[in-house]
mmCIF file of all heavy atoms in Angstrom:
data_model
loop_
_atom_site.group_PDB
_atom_site.id
_atom_site.type_symbol
_atom_site.label_atom_id
_atom_site.label_comp_id
_atom_site.label_asym_id
_atom_site.label_seq_id
_atom_site.Cartn_x
_atom_site.Cartn_y
_atom_site.Cartn_z
ATOM 1 N N ALA A 226 101.471 -127.926 13.429
ATOM 2 C CA ALA A 226 100.954 -126.770 12.690
ATOM 3 C C ALA A 226 101.837 -125.534 12.844
ATOM 4 O O ALA A 226 101.676 -124.561 12.096
ATOM 5 C CB ALA A 226 99.537 -126.453 13.152
ATOM 6 N N ALA A 227 102.772 -125.549 13.780
ATOM 7 C CA ALA A 227 103.557 -124.356 14.120
ATOM 8 C C ALA A 227 104.248 -123.685 12.928
ATOM 9 O O ALA A 227 104.157 -122.465 12.798
ATOM 10 C CB ALA A 227 104.568 -124.686 15.218
ATOM 11 N N PRO A 228 104.942 -124.399 12.051
ATOM 12 C CA PRO A 228 105.598 -123.700 10.936
ATOM 13 C C PRO A 228 104.612 -122.953 10.040
ATOM 14 O O PRO A 228 104.874 -121.826 9.626
ATOM 15 C CB PRO A 228 106.305 -124.817 10.160
ATOM 16 C CG PRO A 228 106.485 -125.907 11.151
ATOM 17 C CD PRO A 228 105.280 -125.826 12.053
ATOM 18 N N ASN A 229 103.467 -123.567 9.769
ATOM 19 C CA ASN A 229 102.464 -122.909 8.929
ATOM 20 C C ASN A 229 101.818 -121.741 9.656
ATOM 21 O O ASN A 229 101.522 -120.708 9.046
ATOM 22 C CB ASN A 229 101.398 -123.911 8.479
ATOM 23 C CG ASN A 229 101.960 -124.922 7.509
ATOM 24 O OD1 ASN A 229 102.857 -124.630 6.746
ATOM 25 N ND2 ASN A 229 101.443 -126.132 7.562
ATOM 26 N N LEU A 230 101.580 -121.887 10.958
ATOM 27 C CA LEU A 230 101.030 -120.778 11.740
ATOM 28 C C LEU A 230 101.989 -119.591 11.750
ATOM 29 O O LEU A 230 101.566 -118.432 11.618
ATOM 30 C CB LEU A 230 100.731 -121.232 13.171
ATOM 31 C CG LEU A 230 99.594 -122.236 13.332
ATOM 32 C CD1 LEU A 230 99.586 -122.789 14.759
ATOM 33 C CD2 LEU A 230 98.267 -121.593 13.000
ATOM 34 N N LEU A 231 103.280 -119.860 11.892
ATOM 35 C CA LEU A 231 104.287 -118.801 11.876
ATOM 36 C C LEU A 231 104.271 -118.076 10.536
ATOM 37 O O LEU A 231 104.238 -116.838 10.485
ATOM 38 C CB LEU A 231 105.677 -119.371 12.157
ATOM 39 C CG LEU A 231 106.850 -118.406 12.007
ATOM 40 C CD1 LEU A 231 106.723 -117.225 12.971
ATOM 41 C CD2 LEU A 231 108.171 -119.132 12.215
ATOM 42 N N LEU A 232 104.280 -118.821 9.457
ATOM 43 C CA LEU A 232 104.270 -118.212 8.123
ATOM 44 C C LEU A 232 103.020 -117.363 7.914
ATOM 45 O O LEU A 232 103.107 -116.225 7.425
ATOM 46 C CB LEU A 232 104.373 -119.290 7.046
ATOM 47 C CG LEU A 232 104.345 -118.784 5.602
ATOM 48 C CD1 LEU A 232 105.500 -117.819 5.334
ATOM 49 C CD2 LEU A 232 104.376 -119.954 4.638
ATOM 50 N N CYS A 233 101.871 -117.882 8.297
ATOM 51 C CA CYS A 233 100.621 -117.123 8.152
ATOM 52 C C CYS A 233 100.651 -115.846 8.976
ATOM 53 O O CYS A 233 100.237 -114.783 8.497
ATOM 54 C CB CYS A 233 99.423 -117.976 8.553
ATOM 55 S SG CYS A 233 99.047 -119.285 7.394
ATOM 56 N N LEU A 234 101.145 -115.920 10.197
ATOM 57 C CA LEU A 234 101.210 -114.737 11.052
ATOM 58 C C LEU A 234 102.152 -113.695 10.452
ATOM 59 O O LEU A 234 101.851 -112.498 10.445
ATOM 60 C CB LEU A 234 101.655 -115.121 12.465
ATOM 61 C CG LEU A 234 101.569 -114.046 13.530
ATOM 62 C CD1 LEU A 234 100.151 -113.485 13.661
ATOM 63 C CD2 LEU A 234 102.034 -114.597 14.869
ATOM 64 N N GLN A 235 103.288 -114.138 9.910
ATOM 65 C CA GLN A 235 104.209 -113.215 9.256
ATOM 66 C C GLN A 235 103.528 -112.526 8.068
ATOM 67 O O GLN A 235 103.689 -111.316 7.872
ATOM 68 C CB GLN A 235 105.463 -113.948 8.770
ATOM 69 C CG GLN A 235 106.378 -114.379 9.887
ATOM 70 C CD GLN A 235 107.529 -115.218 9.390
ATOM 71 O OE1 GLN A 235 107.331 -116.169 8.634
ATOM 72 N NE2 GLN A 235 108.732 -114.874 9.810
ATOM 73 N N GLN A 236 102.768 -113.278 7.290
ATOM 74 C CA GLN A 236 102.081 -112.710 6.131
ATOM 75 C C GLN A 236 100.990 -111.731 6.554
ATOM 76 O O GLN A 236 100.801 -110.690 5.916
ATOM 77 C CB GLN A 236 101.503 -113.829 5.262
ATOM 78 C CG GLN A 236 102.587 -114.643 4.580
ATOM 79 C CD GLN A 236 102.058 -115.900 3.904
ATOM 80 O OE1 GLN A 236 100.982 -116.398 4.223
ATOM 81 N NE2 GLN A 236 102.829 -116.427 2.971
ATOM 82 N N ILE A 237 100.282 -112.032 7.618
ATOM 83 C CA ILE A 237 99.243 -111.123 8.132
ATOM 84 C C ILE A 237 99.866 -109.806 8.589
ATOM 85 O O ILE A 237 99.353 -108.722 8.273
ATOM 86 C CB ILE A 237 98.438 -111.790 9.266
ATOM 87 C CG1 ILE A 237 97.544 -112.898 8.703
ATOM 88 C CG2 ILE A 237 97.611 -110.762 10.032
ATOM 89 C CD1 ILE A 237 96.939 -113.807 9.765
ATOM 90 N N VAL A 238 100.964 -109.881 9.332
ATOM 91 C CA VAL A 238 101.642 -108.669 9.806
ATOM 92 C C VAL A 238 102.128 -107.843 8.618
ATOM 93 O O VAL A 238 101.930 -106.619 8.563
ATOM 94 C CB VAL A 238 102.799 -109.015 10.770
ATOM 95 C CG1 VAL A 238 103.699 -107.810 11.019
ATOM 96 C CG2 VAL A 238 102.251 -109.560 12.077
ATOM 97 N N SER A 239 102.743 -108.501 7.665
ATOM 98 C CA SER A 239 103.220 -107.803 6.475
ATOM 99 C C SER A 239 102.078 -107.109 5.744
ATOM 100 O O SER A 239 102.187 -105.946 5.342
ATOM 101 C CB SER A 239 103.924 -108.806 5.552
ATOM 102 O OG SER A 239 104.351 -108.180 4.368
ATOM 103 N N SER A 240 100.968 -107.795 5.594
ATOM 104 C CA SER A 240 99.793 -107.214 4.928
ATOM 105 C C SER A 240 99.220 -106.051 5.713
ATOM 106 O O SER A 240 98.791 -105.055 5.127
ATOM 107 C CB SER A 240 98.713 -108.282 4.728
ATOM 108 O OG SER A 240 99.160 -109.268 3.835
#
Side-chain angles (χ1 to χ4, degrees):
N229 291 328
L230 292 169
L231 173 61
L232 179 60
C233 289
L234 189 57
Q235 289 174 311
Q236 291 170 339
I237 289 168
V238 167
S239 178
S240 295

